Amino acid sequence: MFNIGSKIVIVDGGMGTMIQSKGIPVEGPPEMLNITHPEVIAEIHRAYVDAGAEIVETNSFGASRIKLANYNLEDKAYLLAKKAAQIAKKAVQGKALVAGSVGPLGKLLKPVGDVPFDEAYQAFREQIKGLREGGADLIFVETMSDIREAKAAILAAKDESLPVFALMTFQEDGRTLLGVTPEAAAVALEAMGVEALGANCSTGPEKMLEVARKMASVTDKPLIFMPNAGMPQMVDGKTVFPMRPENFASFAKDFVEAGACILGGCCGTTPEHIRYLKKALKNSVPIKKEAPKGVKVSGRETVVFIGKGHYPVVVGERINPTGKKDFQEDLKEKKATWAIKAAVSQKEKGAHILDVNVGMGGVNEKEILPFIVAAVQTATGLPVMIDSTNPEAIEEALKVADGKPVINSTSLEKKKLEAIMPLAKRYGAALLVLTMDERGIPDSPEERVTLGEKAREKAKEYGLDPKELLLDCLVMAVSADDRAAQTTLNAVRMAKEKGFATILGVSNVSFGLPSRSIVNAAFLSAALYNGLDAAIINPENERVMEAFYAGALISGRDFQAKRFIEKFSSKEEKKTEKKEIYDPKRELKECVIEGDEAKAAQLVKKLLESMDPIEIINTILVPAMEEVGKRYEKGIFFLPQLMASAKAMKAAFNVIKTASKGKPQKEKGTIILATVEGDIHDIGKNIVAMMLENHGYRVIDLGKNVPKERIVEEAKKIHPDAVGLSALMTTTMMEMKNVIQELKKHGIKVFTMVGGAVVTEEFAKSIGADAYAENAVEAVKIMDRWMEEKNE
C-alpha cells in the first residue's frame, strides 16, 4: 500500500448513487447485486478507476449479519462481503486499491441501544473476514455515529490483519447523531491505531470542511473526507443531489489546506465528480499539520490534553464507594443515582475527567463498572478514568466508554503489566502507571523516575505508544513520614525533566490528619509548581479548588491569568444557604432529566401512596420530559441523554400502569408509525415512538420495511389521529409519497408527518405531507399542536 500521508490520494464516489442511475430493480439489500448483477457493480468500479480513483470501495456497506437479518439474509453476510471484494479486485485489475466498505449495523449499541459490544464485534468480524478473503487491501469503517460501534469494527479489522481508515458522519450541527464532536472522534479513532481518519456522508463539502479543520486541530493522523454532492432535493418527483462536479471539486484545495490527504465522494457523487476532483488536485501535495502534543483523552464532547504546555487537569475523585454508604447501597442494587449526581456536580465544580471506581465486597465489578461508567458519561459527556484492579472489569468498561478513556492503573509488577498494557493498546486508552514494582515503592525520587523509564520500554514491547503514559510518582501520607511529600515533589520535577506527563492522587498526603483539605491544598500548590499535570482531587472542596486555580497561575500555566480571572472575578460573597427540604416530587423530575431509571421507578412507587397517577404524570413526568426536550433543542443534551431520560420516563410509566391494575389511562391521541417499504432503518423512528409514548400518545409501531397496503389497512382499522413515516435513504424516501397518495386514494383523512436523515421540509411539502419532524422532540411538539387544533 502507498505511504499514507505522502501524497494526495483520490477515492471513488457514491456506489448507491450509481446503482440507482442504472435503473436496476433492487429487491432486498443492494449487496445482493453482487450475486444477481455482478457485471453492473464491476462496471461502476471501472468507471471510477477511469475517472482517476486510486481506491475503490466494495459494494458491502450493509453486509453484516445484523443488518442483513432485516431481509432474512443473515447467513449470507460472509458470502456477500467476499463476493463484493472479488468483483472489485477483478474490475480494477491492479490499477487501484480495494477498500472493503463496512457501514453501521442499523442498531444502536449498549448502553444507548440494545446491541452488546461483543455481538457487534462478531458481526463486523464475519463481514471483514469475507472482505479479506475476497481480496480487499484495506477496510473503510464508515458513516459511523457512535464511537463504540466504530471501535468494534476497527478491532474486527485489526484482528483480520487489515489496515483501517475510519470515518464518522456528522450532522448539520457539526456533531454525530449521538452528539460526538469532530475533535472527540478524532482523538478516539487515532488512539485505536487507524491508518487514517475523517468523515463521510451526511453533509456537502462546505459543512464537512469545518469538521476537517476541527479534526486537524487535535490529530496528526492522515485525514480522509468524502462529502455528499450537497443536500438532496426533489426535482420533478426525483431525489437529486444538486452539487455539480465542478462545484464539488472547487472545495478540494480547501480540504488539503485543512490537512486532508485522501479525498473522495459519497451520496450523489459520480465518476464525473471524481474526475473533476482529480483534476483540481493535480500537482497538490499534503500539507503537514502539527497537533498539540501531550496525552490526549476524550469523552463524547470534550478533548483533554495532559502534559507540557497545557493547563493542569482536574480528575474528580468522588465516584468511589470508600466511606460513602449511599453509593455502596446503590452498587449493591445496581443503581446509578449517587454516581450520576456526583458526576454532574464534579463537572459543574470544574472536573475535566471523572475517575470511576466501584471496588467493594459483594459487588460483581465486571458487571457494575461498565454500568456506572456508561451512566457517568451519558450524564456528563466527560472523559473517564477507569479505576480498577480487575482486568476483566476494566475490559468491559472499555467497551462501553465513549471516546478515549484512561485506565487507572498498572504498576511495574510483571503480572499487572501483562494484564493491563494489552488492554490499553487494544481499546485505545491512555494508561496511568504507578512507580512501584514487586519490591514496593522506592524511597528515592530517582528510583521512582527510573521505574517510569522502564514503563516506557515495556509499553514499546506491547506496541503501546509511550506517550500515552501518565506517570504517578505516588503520594504517601506525611503523618507517617514527614519527608514523604518532599520525595514525591522531587520525583514529579525529575519526571517532568524526562518528558513525562505527571499525575498524582493528592488526597493521600493528608491521610490520618485533621483538617485534611488544608494539607491537600498546600501540597497541590507545591506539586503544580513542580510540574504536576493532572491532580486527582475532590472538585467539590472549595479550598482545594482555590489552590488548584492559584497554583496553575503561580506556576506560569495560566496565560494572562485567564482561567483564574474567569473563575474568581465575578465571585460573590458566599451567602448562607438554606438547607433544602427533601421533596420527592422535585427528585423524581431530576431523576427523569438525569436518566436514572431505577430511582425514577422507586420514587413513583412512593409518590403513588399519596398522589393520583394522572397528577404524577401531568405535574412531574411530562414537565420533566419537556425540560429534556428544551435542553436537546438548545444543544445542551444529545441523543444519549435523550434516550436515557426517555427510558427513565418509561420506567416511571410502567410503575403507574402496574399500580393502576388495568384501569384505563387517558391518552392524548393515537399515531401509526412506520419505516416505509424498502428501508430497514428504524433508529430514528424508534426514538420518536418512545418520546411520543412518554408524552401520553398511543403509538402503533408497524416496524420497518412496511408496504403501503399494510399502513392503509391499519389506518382503516384503527382510525388514528396521525400517521408518521420514516425513511433514511434517498432510494426509499419517495415511497413516503406513495403511502400518502394511497391513504388519500382510500379516502382516509389523516394527519401525516414525515422524517428521516435525508428528508427536508421542502421535500415534505412536495409529497403532500402535513408536517416535517426534524427530530423526536419536534415530533412531539407537532403532535401536541395538531391534537390541540383537532380538539378545538
Side-chain angles (χ1 to χ4, degrees), residues 333-438:
E333 299 174 24
K334 199 184 175 183
K335 287 162 54 178
T337 302
W338 192 94
I340 290 171
K341 289 187 180 300
V344 172
S345 175
Q346 289 182 102
K347 179 180 180 180
E348 290 173 348
K349 298 295 184 181
H352 306 106
I353 301 171
L354 298 173
D355 187 85
V356 180
N357 182 308
V358 299
M360 59 175 278
V363 165
N364 181 345
E365 197 172 353
K366 185 177 175 181
E367 179 184 348
I368 296 298
L369 183 59
F371 170 69
I372 298 297
V373 164
V376 164
Q377 286 208 290
T378 297
T380 65
L382 291 181
V384 290
M385 183 175 281
I386 299 168
D387 189 351
S388 175
T389 58
N390 183 333
E392 290 184 346
I394 292 171
E395 183 165 17
E396 293 307 307
L398 287 168
K399 291 173 183 177
V400 303
D402 269 332
K404 177 185 175 183
V406 183
I407 298 175
N408 182 8
S409 57
T410 184
S411 66
L412 274 293
E413 296 168 82
K414 186 179 179 182
K415 284 186 178 179
K416 290 187 177 180
L417 284 174
E418 290 176 345
I420 304 301
M421 277 198 169
L423 290 178
K425 167 65 177 174
R426 181 167 178 78
Y427 292 95
L431 178 60
L432 188 155
V433 177
L434 304 172
T435 52
M436 60 184 292
D437 57 14
E438 286 85 356

Side-chain angles (χ1 to χ4, degrees), residues 117 122 161 222 257 384 472 490 553 703:
F117 184 93
Q122 291 297 340
S161 302
E257 176 64 30
V384 290
D472 187 335
N490 287 334
L553 175 64

Side-chain angles (χ1 to χ4, degrees), residues 89-160:
K89 199 73 173 178
K90 184 178 178 181
V92 303
Q93 296 182 334
K95 296 177 183 176
L97 293 174
V98 172
S101 172
V102 176
L105 300 170
K107 291 186 176 182
L108 294 171
L109 269 62
K110 289 185 174 181
V112 180
D114 300 317
V115 179
F117 184 93
D118 291 339
E119 184 181 336
Y121 165 82
Q122 291 297 340
F124 287 129
R125 183 77 186 266
E126 179 184 29
Q127 179 183 7
I128 293 168
K129 182 180 180 181
L131 290 166
R132 177 180 62 79
E133 296 187 357
D137 300 297
L138 68 155
I139 297 297
F140 275 17
V141 171
E142 58 182 339
T143 325
M144 293 288 174
S145 293
D146 183 358
I147 286 293
R148 286 174 290 253
E149 187 173 15
K151 286 182 179 181
I154 292 166
L155 285 178
K158 291 289 185 183
D159 289 346
E160 287 294 329

Side-chain angles (χ1 to χ4, degrees), residues 632-649:
Y632 182 76
E633 287 182 323
K634 291 178 180 177
I636 300 169
F637 271 15
F638 298 95
L639 185 58
Q641 292 130 308
L642 184 69
M643 293 287 284
S645 296
K647 288 177 181 177
M649 181 79 157

Side-chain angles (χ1 to χ4, degrees), residues 1-55:
M1 194 165 74
F2 57 86
N3 183 12
I4 304 170
S6 64
K7 55 176 278 191
I8 302 294
V9 177
I10 305 297
V11 190
D12 63 7
M15 172 60 74
T17 299
M18 292 302 292
I19 289 173
Q20 193 174 1
S21 72
K22 298 294 181 182
I24 305 169
V26 181
E27 295 182 4
E31 291 77 16
M32 276 302 293
L33 295 176
N34 298 331
I35 303 294
T36 61
H37 293 77
E39 71 286 351
V40 173
I41 303 303
E43 182 184 333
I44 293 170
H45 290 316
R46 286 192 292 268
Y48 278 121
V49 172
D50 291 343
E54 298 161 85
I55 301 177

Side-chain angles (χ1 to χ4, degrees), residues 593-648:
I593 292 171
E594 292 169 353
D596 189 344
E597 291 180 66
K599 187 67 174 180
Q602 180 184 327
L603 285 166
V604 169
K605 287 179 184 178
K606 181 70 176 175
L607 288 170
L608 281 170
E609 295 174 5
S610 58
M611 291 181 70
D612 182 78
I614 297 299
E615 186 184 1
I616 294 174
I617 292 170
N618 291 338
T619 65
I620 304 173
L621 299 181
V622 171
M625 285 307 293
E626 287 174 348
E627 175 61 26
V628 169
K630 289 176 184 176
R631 296 187 188 188
Y632 182 76
E633 287 182 323
K634 291 178 180 177
I636 300 169
F637 271 15
F638 298 95
L639 185 58
Q641 292 130 308
L642 184 69
M643 293 287 284
S645 296
K647 288 177 181 177

